[in-house]
Amino acid sequence: MGSCVTPAISGPLLELERQFLDQSTVIERWFREQWHEHVPPFYGSVDLRNAGFKLTPVDMNLFPGGFNNLDSVFLPLCVQAAQAAVERMCACARRLLLIPESHTRNQFYLKNIERLTDILHLTGLEVRLGSLLPEITAPTSLMLPNGGSLMLEPLVREGNRLGLVGFDPCAILLNNDLSGGVPAILQGLNGQCLIPPLHAGWHVRRKSRHAAVYERVVHVFSEEIGIDPWCISPAFRVCGGINFHERAGEECLSDQVDALLVGIRRKYRELGIEDEPFVVVKADAGTYGMGVMMVKDASEIVGLNRRQRNRMAVVKEGLPVGEVILQEGVRTFETIDSAVAEPVVYMMNHYVVGGFYRVHTARGSDENLNAPGMEFRPLAFDTPGTIPDSQQEPDAMPNRLYTYGVVARLALLAASIEIEEMSPAPGDADSDCGCGGVSPESRLRPEGDQP
Amino acid sequence: MGSCVTPAISGPLLELERQFLDQSTVIERWFREQWHEHVPPFYGSVDLRNAGFKLTPVDMNLFPGGFNNLDSVFLPLCVQAAQAAVERMCACARRLLLIPESHTRNQFYLKNIERLTDILHLTGLEVRLGSLLPEITAPTSLMLPNGGSLMLEPLVREGNRLGLVGFDPCAILLNNDLSGGVPAILQGLNGQCLIPPLHAGWHVRRKSRHAAVYERVVHVFSEEIGIDPWCISPAFRVCGGINFHERAGEECLSDQVDALLVGIRRKYRELGIEDEPFVVVKADAGTYGMGVMMVKDASEIVGLNRRQRNRMAVVKEGLPVGEVILQEGVRTFETIDSAVAEPVVYMMNHYVVGGFYRVHTARGSDENLNAPGMEFRPLAFDTPGTIPDSQQEPDAMPNRLYTYGVVARLALLAASIEIEEMSPAPGDADSDCGCGGVSPESRLRPEGDQP
């Protein structure tokens, strides 16, 4: 079994990159077989941390924002992949209803929705935006900084179908992660393709469940290509019954942090790594980088002051944190213009379609970069990450990005399996489009019937 | 119904480009529905002629060479599209046997094979090259100008399977157009996925059959988006019983040329086009730009001198020409560095994956550019042609290329239907891979079975 820790002379992560590079044919074939058995999500993004000696996903987002941060060179790949996704999920779809997050004032997010709409448009879909906001009672135009605009419309429910006034879509694409639960208007839909399925929302999804599936995926993958699964998989533990305000569950947190640190220290010693181990404490259902802290000692988690406890106690939409995942901390050794950077990889269907670096000038390599003040550097990712180049060194840009794409796809595959296993009914993940095939008038006439 | 002829002031083809641009959503949806009903070829390339007032395919190649002429920016799109094609045709394939043309000394063609091998490799296939050449009796390494090399190996037939020594492939990809017929070693294969199917070879394929299907496809498409089918479809006629050496069939040629010219003149007058009409005479089964001539009057085709007759009488591999297609000539108004240029669009699966211009400094706008002395300008195609940009003018580069991609895909769709209709047995076009699904050891274990 190979090691991902490299002699200092050859630079960080070189060994893992070399192994991925040497075995790209095996890796791609393995993924093809996996996607033959598991339905890939429509889209997803994965935040990665690259410590040099270890490269792991830290967040797998099934409702990705940030498409606006992708360089326009990635657009053709996005469109082609989205075409494949639409074909697979809903070949006959003509109209798609996109339901965005409800924070309408975030210009960055609106640009994401604009870009996503453009991509879907180019696949041949009529796309309109339906808002879950109660104050959107009539079509409302939102101005964008680039001079464009987005039209948000109120949702209309008729029986088991959801649409807009005068717009009955075949497919509904959620870009809303359902952190606050499934609104009544989205419940009990029938005959429309709902993507992703409701049970992929953060109201039921748990980071720890994803982490457990990811561990299984990595185990199989690592055996296939002969690497130490440790190189791409962070250790984790879970604590339930947490109430940060009332300091409930602190003992579990402290014990598990301790256990993780002991394990990390042992492995670091084994491999001669001199970094100080740390653990990331995160809300098990949290998103948006909220409810996250890094600890280097178990005592830190019991000695939280009121401000720290408040910060950990609630996540997006004010939801209280009752379950926590504790994850082996992975530093990011990547820097851009001397600011700490972590790669974010975007996928549609099962294809890597681009990425960028999240950069934070005020944070350290062992801190959460998904925080106010973060910036995005689309240009640093100058190739799509799908094309390794065996003529170049293993750590040359195309090869490093290929490595990132492989790990991101492992997280995506874990998400597929996670959604499958969460599915309330078999086949639910692949819900029916209900648009009844191709319209007769657009069929090509048989050979004899020429004009 | 719209016209593709534009007022002089707005420049050539603007109207068609504007219509394609305005209706790109409808167009993409229409294609998606068509590809839901028809199996796209694994790959293909289409030569186009753009007269400004008319844009038509002139050649649809199901065994495309020239992948080496695509700029490397297209590589990610090629790989992604090839992945989709492999998935669809042969998801479980691990090994692919590529059978190239037999002209081993053509360095350009060898570079095409190298590029194609790279693309297939990156989709996760083990790719090896099997040669139909009788003199390849042992693995033979061919040097490439860039310092690389290709290994040609002798084919090995065992029962109903084809492979190489120690290499039993799931899939066989032909890059050999079978002009000379189907070699015995390729006949009667079973349990391997043969791509394209044998009946797509030039031993049975006819340009005129393709032209007839293309006409039907254009008819339906034009109705869907409301354009005059004339704008994208060349008139054609066929003559059989031709023997150029013996001057047999000249009367048919002369009559049909005349009839075509009368029709073209009428339409030109109607639309105020001042170009001189011409007709292209081509071997109905020919490739490689051989057996092609342009005539502006019926008398030209009966008064051929011996040299001209010799040039028309045989095509690739010395095959005699017995059937001829006569096609409405379409000038190319595109020039690059003042040399006449025609666009060539490449597709894999049903995706446009790139293209380039074929340029000939010594030929006129009404001449065949597929001739010795031609050059390729990969860089002129600086976007993939899949992303129209409604913010730009209809004749801006991305939009012109989008238009080219639409017409190329119409030709590809016609080829799909042509292959379907030629199929000796239903389902033959989608032949079985015979690799029996995913190997058990690479399956992911169920949830309970964790380490």
Side-chain angles (χ1 to χ4, degrees), chain B residues 20-309:
Chain B
F20 280 11
L21 192 56
D22 288 348
Q23 301 208 57
S24 67
T25 303
V26 177
I27 290 171
E28 294 308 319
R29 192 251 306 144
W30 185 84
F31 272 120
R32 183 167 59 248
E33 291 177 352
Q34 298 305 324
W35 296 126
H36 195 53
E37 304 224 321
H38 303 285
V39 178
F42 186 84
Y43 53 15
S45 67
V46 174
D47 297 358
L48 299 170
R49 304 279 289 200
N50 183 357
F53 54 83
K54 184 162 188 160
L55 167 63
T56 70
V58 288
D59 201 10
M60 161 76 240
N61 192 344
L62 287 167
F63 305 87
F67 275 96
N68 53 307
N69 295 321
L70 295 180
D71 191 275
S72 63
V73 301
F74 296 124
L75 200 53
L77 275 176
C78 290
V79 172
Q80 200 187 76
Q83 273 173 332
V86 172
E87 241 173 71
R88 181 173 52 73
M89 297 222 175
C90 204
C92 52
R94 295 182 170 205
R95 287 174 294 275
L96 180 138
L97 177 64
L98 177 58
I99 301 184
E101 294 284 348
S102 293
H103 36 66
T104 53
R105 289 195 203 91
N106 183 333
Q107 293 284 321
F108 298 109
Y109 181 73
L110 293 178
K111 279 161 75 181
N112 165 61
I113 289 297
E114 183 191 35
R115 174 61 76 92
L116 201 48
T117 306
D118 287 347
I119 292 168
L120 294 166
H121 225 103
L122 289 167
T123 70
L125 290 168
E126 192 187 339
V127 183
R128 282 163 71 175
L129 307 177
S131 177
L132 287 166
L133 279 169
E135 59 264 38
I136 301 288
T137 54
T140 304
S141 181
L142 301 176
M143 296 308 292
L144 296 177
N146 58 6
S149 67
L150 286 178
M151 179 73 83
L152 282 187
E153 298 183 62
L155 292 168
V156 176
R157 176 76 178 247
E158 274 184 29
N160 292 329
R161 294 185 74 84
L162 186 66
L164 307 172
V165 173
F167 187 74
D168 183 23
C170 310
I172 300 163
L173 178 63
L174 299 175
N175 197 251
N176 183 309
D177 66 21
L178 307 175
S179 282
V182 181
I185 202 166
L186 292 181
Q187 291 173 18
L189 295 176
N190 203 346
Q192 285 171 310
C193 185
L194 187 57
I195 314 163
L198 292 177
H199 59 272
W202 276 121
H203 64 300
V204 287
R205 221 183 141 213
R206 292 293 173 268
K207 286 190 166 69
S208 54
R209 196 180 296 117
H210 177 76
V213 181
Y214 180 76
E215 213 167 61
R216 282 156 51 202
V217 167
V218 165
H219 181 87
V220 177
F221 175 79
S222 301
E223 279 196 350
E224 183 81 15
I225 68 159
I227 58 164
D228 181 351
W230 183 85
C231 302
I232 51 173
S233 188
F236 74 97
R237 305 281 176 117
V238 189
C239 286
I242 302 294
N243 184 324
F244 280 100
H245 286 309
E246 296 171 8
R247 303 187 58 169
E250 281 190 348
E251 198 179 344
C252 175
L253 291 175
S254 161
D255 289 352
Q256 302 292 24
V257 165
D258 223 28
L260 279 170
L261 287 173
V262 166
I264 303 168
R265 255 181 230 115
R266 191 188 308 122
K267 191 80 183 182
Y268 276 17
R269 250 196 318 273
E270 226 174 74
L271 299 172
I273 295 164
E274 294 185 352
D275 290 0
E276 190 181 1
F278 67 102
V279 165
V280 185
V281 184
K282 294 192 256 192
D284 206 11
T287 59
Y288 280 63
M290 297 172 81
V292 178
M293 68 180 289
M294 316 302 206
V295 295
K296 289 176 178 165
D297 191 279
S299 65
E300 292 175 46
I301 196 79
V302 293
L304 297 184
N305 61 31
R306 177 185 297 263
R307 209 175 123 255
Q308 289 170 314
R309 281 189 277 125

Side-chain angles (χ1 to χ4, degrees), chain A residues 165-181:
Chain A
V165 173
F167 186 74
D168 183 23
C170 310
I172 300 163
L173 179 62
L174 299 174
N175 196 251
N176 183 309
D177 66 20
L178 306 176
S179 281

Side-chain angles (χ1 to χ4, degrees), chain A residues 34 51 74 84 108 133 201 232 247 272 278 287-288 332 363 367 382 407 412 420 430 442:
Chain A
Q34 298 304 325
F74 296 125
F108 299 109
L133 277 171
I232 52 173
R247 306 187 55 167
F278 67 104
T287 58
Y288 279 63
T332 179
R363 296 272 172 137
E367 288 185 286
D382 54 358
V407 175
L412 190 78
E420 254 167 56
D430 219 9
S442 73

Side-chain angles (χ1 to χ4, degrees), chain A residues 139-433:
Chain A
T140 304
S141 181
L142 301 176
M143 297 308 293
L144 297 177
N146 58 7
S149 67
L150 286 179
M151 179 71 82
L152 282 188
E153 298 183 63
L155 292 169
V156 176
R157 176 75 180 250
E158 275 184 29
N160 292 330
R161 293 185 75 83
L162 186 66
L164 306 173
V165 173
F167 186 74
D168 183 23
C170 310
I172 300 163
L173 179 62
L174 299 174
N175 196 251
N176 183 309
D177 66 20
L178 306 176
S179 281
V182 181
I185 202 165
L186 293 180
Q187 290 174 18
L189 296 176
N190 203 345
Q192 286 172 309
C193 185
L194 186 58
I195 314 162
L198 292 176
H199 60 271
W202 275 121
H203 65 301
V204 287
R205 220 182 142 215
R206 292 294 172 268
K207 285 189 165 69
S208 55
R209 197 181 293 117
H210 177 76
V213 180
Y214 179 76
E215 213 169 62
R216 280 154 54 202
V217 167
V218 165
H219 182 88
V220 177
F221 175 80
S222 300
E223 278 196 350
E224 184 80 15
I225 68 160
I227 59 165
D228 181 350
W230 182 86
C231 302
I232 52 173
S233 188
F236 74 98
R237 303 284 176 115
V238 190
C239 286
I242 302 293
N243 185 323
F244 280 100
H245 285 308
E246 297 171 7
R247 306 187 55 167
E250 281 191 347
E251 198 180 346
C252 175
L253 291 175
S254 161
D255 288 353
Q256 300 293 23
V257 165
D258 223 32
L260 280 170
L261 287 172
V262 166
I264 303 169
R265 253 180 232 118
R266 190 188 308 120
K267 190 81 183 184
Y268 277 16
R269 248 195 322 270
E270 227 174 74
L271 300 171
I273 296 164
E274 295 185 354
D275 290 0
E276 189 182 1
F278 67 104
V279 166
V280 185
V281 184
K282 293 192 255 192
D284 206 11
T287 58
Y288 279 63
M290 297 172 80
V292 178
M293 67 179 290
M294 318 302 208
V295 295
K296 289 176 178 166
D297 191 279
S299 64
E300 293 175 47
I301 196 80
V302 292
L304 295 185
N305 61 32
R306 179 185 297 261
R307 207 175 123 253
Q308 288 170 314
R309 280 187 277 126
N310 284 346
R311 224 164 46 77
M312 286 302 290
V314 292
V315 288
K316 195 181 157 217
E317 312 202 359
L319 293 172
V321 173
E323 286 162 27
V324 154
I325 178 172
L326 305 112
Q327 209 161 22
E328 175 182 354
V330 178
R331 273 184 179 68
T332 179
F333 90 109
E334 293 248 35
T335 55
I336 291 181
D337 301 340
S338 75
V340 176
E342 64 187 16
V344 186
V345 174
Y346 277 68
M347 292 157 291
M348 300 192 87
N349 204 0
H350 56 69
Y351 302 109
V352 173
V353 295
F356 52 80
Y357 283 101
R358 179 183 286 123
V359 177
H360 206 305
T361 51
R363 296 272 172 137
S365 67
D366 55 0
E367 288 185 286
N368 175 20
L369 305 188
N370 191 356
M374 65 184 168
E375 295 166 44
F376 303 99
R377 300 291 167 87
L379 294 171
F381 248 50
D382 54 358
T383 66
T386 55
I387 305 296
D389 184 350
S390 56
Q391 307 295 305
Q392 295 188 51
E393 288 300 306
D395 61 346
M397 229 6 164
N399 297 331
R400 171 147 298 164
L401 299 182
Y402 178 72
T403 305
Y404 290 165
V406 171
V407 175
R409 283 183 288 165
L410 292 172
L412 190 78
L413 177 59
S416 294
I417 297 170
E418 182 195 345
I419 295 176
E420 254 167 56
E421 291 176 352
M422 285 290 291
S423 175
D428 180 273
D430 219 9
S431 75
D432 181 35
C433 226

Side-chain angles (χ1 to χ4, degrees), chain B residues 397-411:
Chain B
M397 228 7 162
N399 297 331
R400 172 148 299 161
L401 299 182
Y402 178 71
T403 306
Y404 291 165
V406 171
V407 175
R409 282 183 289 165
L410 292 172

Side-chain angles (χ1 to χ4, degrees), chain A residues 32 37 80 87 93 123 350, chain B residues 32 80 87 93 123 350 443:
Chain A
R32 184 167 59 249
E37 304 224 321
Q80 199 186 76
E87 239 173 74
T123 68
H350 56 69
Chain B
R32 183 167 59 248
Q80 200 187 76
E87 241 173 71
T123 70
H350 56 71
R443 278 175 207 271

